[in-house]
Amino acid sequence: MNAPTTPAKLTPKDFATDQEVRWCPGCGDYAILKSVQKVLADLKADKDKTVFVSGIGCSSRFPYYMDTYGFHTIHGRAPAVATGVKMANPELDVWIVTGDGDGLSIGGNHLLHIIRRNVDTQILLFNNEIYGLTKGQASPTSAIGTRSSSTPEGSVDAPLDPIKVAMGAGARFVARTADKWIKEMPDVLKAAREHRGCAFVEILQNCIVYNDAVFGEFTGKEAVPGTYIHVEHGKPLLFGGGRNEPPVKGIRVKPGTFKLEVVTLGENGISEADVLVHDKTDPVLAGLLAAMTGPDFPVAFGVLYEDAAPVHDDSVASHKADARKKTPDVSINALLKRGRTWMVEGPGA
């Protein structure tokens, strides 16, 4: 039998299936799908060793559209299935695709544990702050005041922040991108795949039907550069600037506090030397960047935090190896018959 081989040069089309992509016209999921296919092609990923696992929701159609192995599982359980896949086949490249409802509501428990265990997987959480597939109910990330079919007078529940949830669970790689950032998203996805351990990526995604333009202020066509910042390790936290745009601004620690503040270069003697330099290995800075929200702060995109730690897969393999050393090499039949066994004799035995 001929073994499958990976072509010397791959294109995004090599990772596309013959299935009709069935998302609403204008849905942000299309851009995410194209970005993932591009990244796998650029990295010359082995399709025979790549697996996409999803739960339930619009985002969870993803495995059907990837010409790799895949599982479309049950609501919220994609992390549990993905953990089993990775433990049974550590050499596989396992991706988890989930949504704010699937991952943070019924699947919140499973999401927390795959992160804290640091299973070597990539988690892509599509966040549109609404339940799309079930026709527009408020989700765990919906903002206070969101009017939906389940909250007609406006939601009164405080929303969850996916980044804070991941970091609270002990994530060692946390990033944020958006369906609009076609040029920037592949870099984030590549960084996630190259990270050894559990990589968590929140992707802000527009639901054109039930929550259109919810992120329009900083990702829409009219988004002002001063409303967002793309962070890069080792680079100063600068944003804005350019023709017909706000002046260049930066982020620093407010003197005498542990809080961040936005400053304008050139005002009150402020220069680039006063601005913080992004350090992706600093969890405190990552938490502060993740918490930035408008109108006083820009929304941060990029790799907010990355710091390696022991990987669950390796720890499990080490335990199994130790157990084998302590266990005699015997047959299954011998193992079944060892210890307290007896023979039933007599009529009818």
Side-chain angles (χ1 to χ4, degrees):
M1 183 177 69
N2 293 326
T5 59
T6 300
K9 182 175 178 57
L10 292 170
T11 70
K13 290 184 178 180
D14 289 312
F15 290 91
T17 67
D18 60 357
Q19 299 296 300
E20 178 188 1
V21 181
R22 299 185 64 184
W23 287 314
C24 300
C27 175
D29 288 355
Y30 287 96
I32 303 170
L33 175 64
K34 293 297 183 184
S35 291
V36 171
Q37 291 170 340
K38 180 182 186 304
V39 164
L40 293 182
D42 290 346
L43 296 176
K44 297 182 179 180
D46 187 342
K47 295 197 293 182
D48 295 308
K49 292 185 177 180
T50 305
V51 185
F52 281 83
V53 184
S54 67
I56 296 297
C58 294
S59 64
S60 294
R61 297 179 182 273
F62 217 86
Y64 292 103
Y65 308 142
M66 296 298 301
D67 191 18
T68 62
Y69 287 100
F71 289 90
H72 188 178
T73 70
I74 56 178
H75 208 183
R77 272 64 177 188
V81 174
T83 298
V85 171
K86 190 66 178 181
M87 292 302 98
N89 300 277
E91 75 282 1
L92 296 180
D93 181 19
V94 182
W95 297 71
I96 298 168
V97 180
T98 185
D100 47 299
D102 181 63
L104 293 174
S105 186
I106 191 170
N109 173 52
H110 297 284
L111 186 72
L112 291 176
H113 293 301
I114 193 172
I115 291 173
R116 77 172 178 87
R117 288 174 175 140
N118 201 27
V119 181
D120 189 21
T121 56
Q122 295 79 238
I123 302 173
L124 308 183
L125 188 143
F126 297 16
N127 182 13
N128 53 24
E129 297 189 356
I130 205 76
Y131 279 100
L133 188 67
T134 52
K135 308 300 185 287
Q137 300 89 346
S139 87
T141 61
S142 295
I144 292 176
T146 297
R147 293 181 180 274
S148 72
S149 57
S150 60
T151 56
E153 300 300 322
S155 175
V156 297
D157 295 335
L160 284 175
D161 183 323
I163 298 291
K164 291 181 182 178
V165 169
M167 294 198 68
R172 308 298 298 198
F173 181 103
V174 175
R176 180 190 287 136
T177 185
D179 53 13
K180 174 188 176 179
W181 307 121
I182 301 300
K183 294 182 179 179
E184 294 82 2
M185 192 190 310
D187 289 335
V188 170
L189 297 176
K190 287 178 183 178
R193 185 177 183 271
E194 291 168 359
H195 175 76
R196 185 91 168 90
C198 187
F200 180 86
V201 182
E202 177 191 19
I203 306 178
L204 303 185
Q205 173 257 328
N206 189 50
C207 176
I208 196 169
V209 176
Y210 296 109
N211 212 16
D212 191 23
V214 67
F215 305 119
E217 182 180 354
F218 46 87
T219 65
K221 293 181 180 179
E222 305 302 323
V224 178
T227 60
Y228 57 84
I229 179 173
H230 291 282
V231 304
E232 187 176 348
H233 181 64
K235 299 291 183 67
L237 297 173
L238 299 171
F239 61 103
R243 183 183 301 176
N244 299 321
E245 296 172 358
V248 175
K249 296 183 179 182
I251 297 170
R252 71 171 183 177
V253 176
K254 188 176 182 179
T257 74
F258 292 101
K259 300 178 180 179
L260 299 183
E261 71 171 351
V262 173
V263 293
T264 302
L265 271 61
E267 290 185 0
N268 302 317
I270 298 294
S271 69
E272 187 174 313
D274 298 300
V275 175
L276 280 171
V277 173
H278 182 46
D279 179 2
K280 67 179 182 180
T281 67
D282 186 341
V284 175
L285 178 58
L288 292 172
L289 292 174
M292 293 194 311
T293 56
D296 298 325
F297 290 95
V299 176
F301 294 95
V303 178
L304 305 184
Y305 178 63
E306 181 178 15
D307 196 15
V311 178
H312 184 69
D313 325 12
D314 296 338
S315 299
V316 171
S318 177
H319 282 201
K320 289 169 65 176
D322 289 342
R324 287 194 182 99
K325 290 178 182 178
K326 299 174 184 177
T327 303
D329 186 14
V330 296
S331 67
I332 292 293
N333 194 43
L335 288 173
L336 290 173
K337 290 184 176 181
R338 76 177 182 179
R340 298 180 62 186
T341 61
W342 61 91
M343 178 70 70
V344 177
E345 298 178 348

